[in-house]
Amino acid sequence: MATPKNINLKVPLPRKLKWGVAGCGYFLENVFLPSLQLVKRSRLISVYSHDPKRAHEIASKFGAPNFYDDYQAFLNSGIDAVYISSKNNDHYYQVIEAAKAGKHVFCERPIALNSAQAEEMVRICKENNVQFAINHIHRFHPLIIKVKELIDKNILGKLVAISASYHIDMPPADNFRFKKELSGGGVLRDTGAIVIDLMRYFGGEVSEVKGFMDNVIYKSEVDDFAAAIIKFINGGYGLFNVSYDTKKPFIRLDIIGFNGSINIESKIDKRNFITKITIDLKGEAKMVFRKKFNKIAFVIRSVQKSFLQNKIPVVSGEDGLNNIRLIEKIEG
């Protein structure tokens, strides 16, 4: 019988990231948690909701051993990180309490109800040496990343304009986004935050922004339509419009440079971001690329890596703060 040998590993075996989730809405149940199950080094440990029955339901469905309606007990349940999928008005205290408890934070957009809250959230995360990531999923698609690389390589030449349209249907019903005390505002703070983040990603930081908000269809207390024009510090302009007003979703972004253009079109299903890009450069044949991609699983893997290594995530709390500042300028 062979003598057992001790194996000395040069690199320690990777540990699993133990997650807690706060807020038990549609996106968490149907998109985030099914995707989390695909990520090998992450494990769901605890579920928190104001409604204990809902917390128990989600915990049972996804195999979490713990569920709570007490947030402090939830934070003390042996988790490493918190995914915050609650209503916008809960983000502020949930992020701060998680940071003070030493938990890394992955938060839904928008980061907070206002920039003053967001500044404090970012500061407290830094003071407690925890990472703060924001769920801007569109930045993680491989074709979106490729477009960014092409822009950085100056393939388009001098940037002239970026235009974007992001239109979906979102009826009020019992949706918290249509209650200002819970959301802070309507479509501008929701899909508008997505577009603003992509504008900054492709065009750089912003020196000026002017915009409009309106109620075109639903006539609620918050906006269901918004449009704005942006001036980039490095030159060029951005124009966008977003709404909750179209039964058939429409997502399109055009990046225009001196040497040509890149068009991005997307379709949405529950877990995938189906994207087509068209590259049309002077003197070259038009090129078209398509890719269907599980955006959420890729985002979770990226955030997981930054948390395990305690490194700044791809989309950080500072990004969320800059986005909410621009939103406030548009709101006036």
Side-chain angles (χ1 to χ4, degrees):
M1 182 176 178
T3 303
K5 295 182 180 180
N6 293 325
I7 300 175
N8 294 319
L9 298 174
K10 293 182 179 180
V11 179
L13 289 172
R15 68 181 181 88
K16 285 197 172 185
L17 190 69
K18 294 177 287 186
W19 283 93
V21 295
C24 296
Y26 177 90
F27 182 84
L28 179 100
E29 181 178 8
N30 295 282
V31 183
F32 182 84
L33 288 180
S35 298
L36 185 70
Q37 293 179 321
L38 303 175
V39 180
K40 293 181 179 180
R41 293 173 62 191
S42 282
R43 181 187 173 198
L44 179 63
I45 298 294
S46 300
V47 176
Y48 166 80
S49 173
H50 295 293
D51 180 353
K53 291 183 180 179
R54 180 62 172 158
H56 181 228
E57 178 186 355
I58 294 297
S60 298
K61 182 175 181 178
F62 293 98
N66 308 307
F67 65 94
Y68 302 91
D69 63 351
D70 182 296
Y71 193 62
Q72 290 301 323
F74 163 77
L75 292 175
N76 293 329
S77 63
I79 58 178
D80 304 311
V82 180
Y83 174 64
I84 294 176
S85 185
S86 51
K87 297 179 179 64
N88 299 349
N89 66 318
D90 287 332
H91 291 182
Y92 173 68
Y93 89 87
Q94 288 182 350
V95 168
I96 286 177
E97 292 304 314
K100 288 179 178 178
K103 315 301 178 185
H104 298 302
V105 179
F106 185 27
C107 186
E108 272 298 327
R109 64 179 194 281
I111 185 173
L113 293 183
N114 54 63
S115 59
Q117 287 185 350
E119 287 172 3
E120 186 176 358
M121 293 155 73
V122 169
R123 175 179 60 80
I124 289 177
C125 285
K126 287 182 178 179
E127 289 175 353
N128 287 275
N129 192 34
V130 299
Q131 298 303 328
F132 187 12
I134 307 299
N135 192 15
H136 278 289
I137 55 182
H138 293 70
R139 277 218 222 168
F140 291 84
H141 194 289
L143 293 183
I144 297 292
I145 294 170
K146 186 62 179 178
V147 169
K148 172 64 172 172
E149 291 174 355
L150 294 175
I151 293 172
D152 290 345
K153 289 178 180 178
N154 206 34
I155 297 297
L156 290 179
K158 180 69 175 177
L159 182 69
V160 177
I162 301 174
S163 62
S165 295
Y166 197 127
H167 298 271
I168 59 175
D169 184 38
M170 186 81 76
D174 294 325
N175 196 319
F176 79 89
R177 293 171 183 83
F178 286 86
K179 299 175 182 177
K180 193 166 186 178
E181 73 276 10
L182 301 180
S183 66
V187 70
L188 180 61
R189 288 170 174 262
D190 188 22
T191 55
I194 295 173
V195 173
I196 287 171
D197 189 73
L198 285 174
M199 289 274 180
R200 291 180 51 246
Y201 182 54
F202 291 130
E205 293 304 334
V206 174
S207 61
E208 295 180 57
V209 62
K210 296 181 180 180
F212 301 90
M213 298 184 300
D214 201 352
N215 285 282
V216 176
I217 300 294
Y218 291 114
K219 308 301 181 184
S220 72
E221 64 175 315
V222 299
D223 50 293
D224 63 22
F225 176 90
I229 182 167
I230 286 171
K231 183 177 182 180
F232 297 112
I233 290 174
N234 294 328
Y237 291 83
L239 304 95
F240 75 82
N241 55 86
V242 295
S243 83
Y244 288 151
D245 299 334
T246 57
K247 292 291 184 183
K248 186 174 178 59
F250 181 86
I251 305 173
R252 179 185 174 105
L253 190 145
D254 295 288
I255 305 168
I256 313 298
F258 181 70
N259 294 331
S261 65
I262 298 177
N263 164 257
I264 303 170
E265 294 181 80
S266 293
K267 295 182 179 179
I268 302 172
D269 63 20
K270 281 187 178 180
R271 300 183 198 173
N272 294 302
F273 184 20
I274 307 164
T275 297
K276 179 181 79 172
I277 66 169
T278 303
I279 303 172
D280 193 6
L281 302 175
K282 177 178 170 54
E284 298 185 17
K286 186 180 293 186
M287 295 174 285
V288 179
F289 304 90
R290 293 179 177 86
K291 191 171 183 65
K292 183 176 182 179
F293 185 68
N294 188 317
K295 51 193 177 183
I296 301 298
F298 193 85
V299 173
I300 294 171
R301 290 189 185 99
S302 175
V303 171
Q304 171 189 264
K305 182 178 179 181
S306 70
F307 286 180
L308 288 171
Q309 297 179 356
N310 199 23
K311 293 183 178 179
I312 297 173
V314 172
V315 188
S316 68
E318 283 85 352
D319 288 308
L321 172 57
N322 288 332
N323 294 340
I324 199 70
R325 283 171 173 164
L326 291 174
I327 286 169
E328 287 178 340
K329 288 182 179 179
I330 296 169
E331 291 174 337

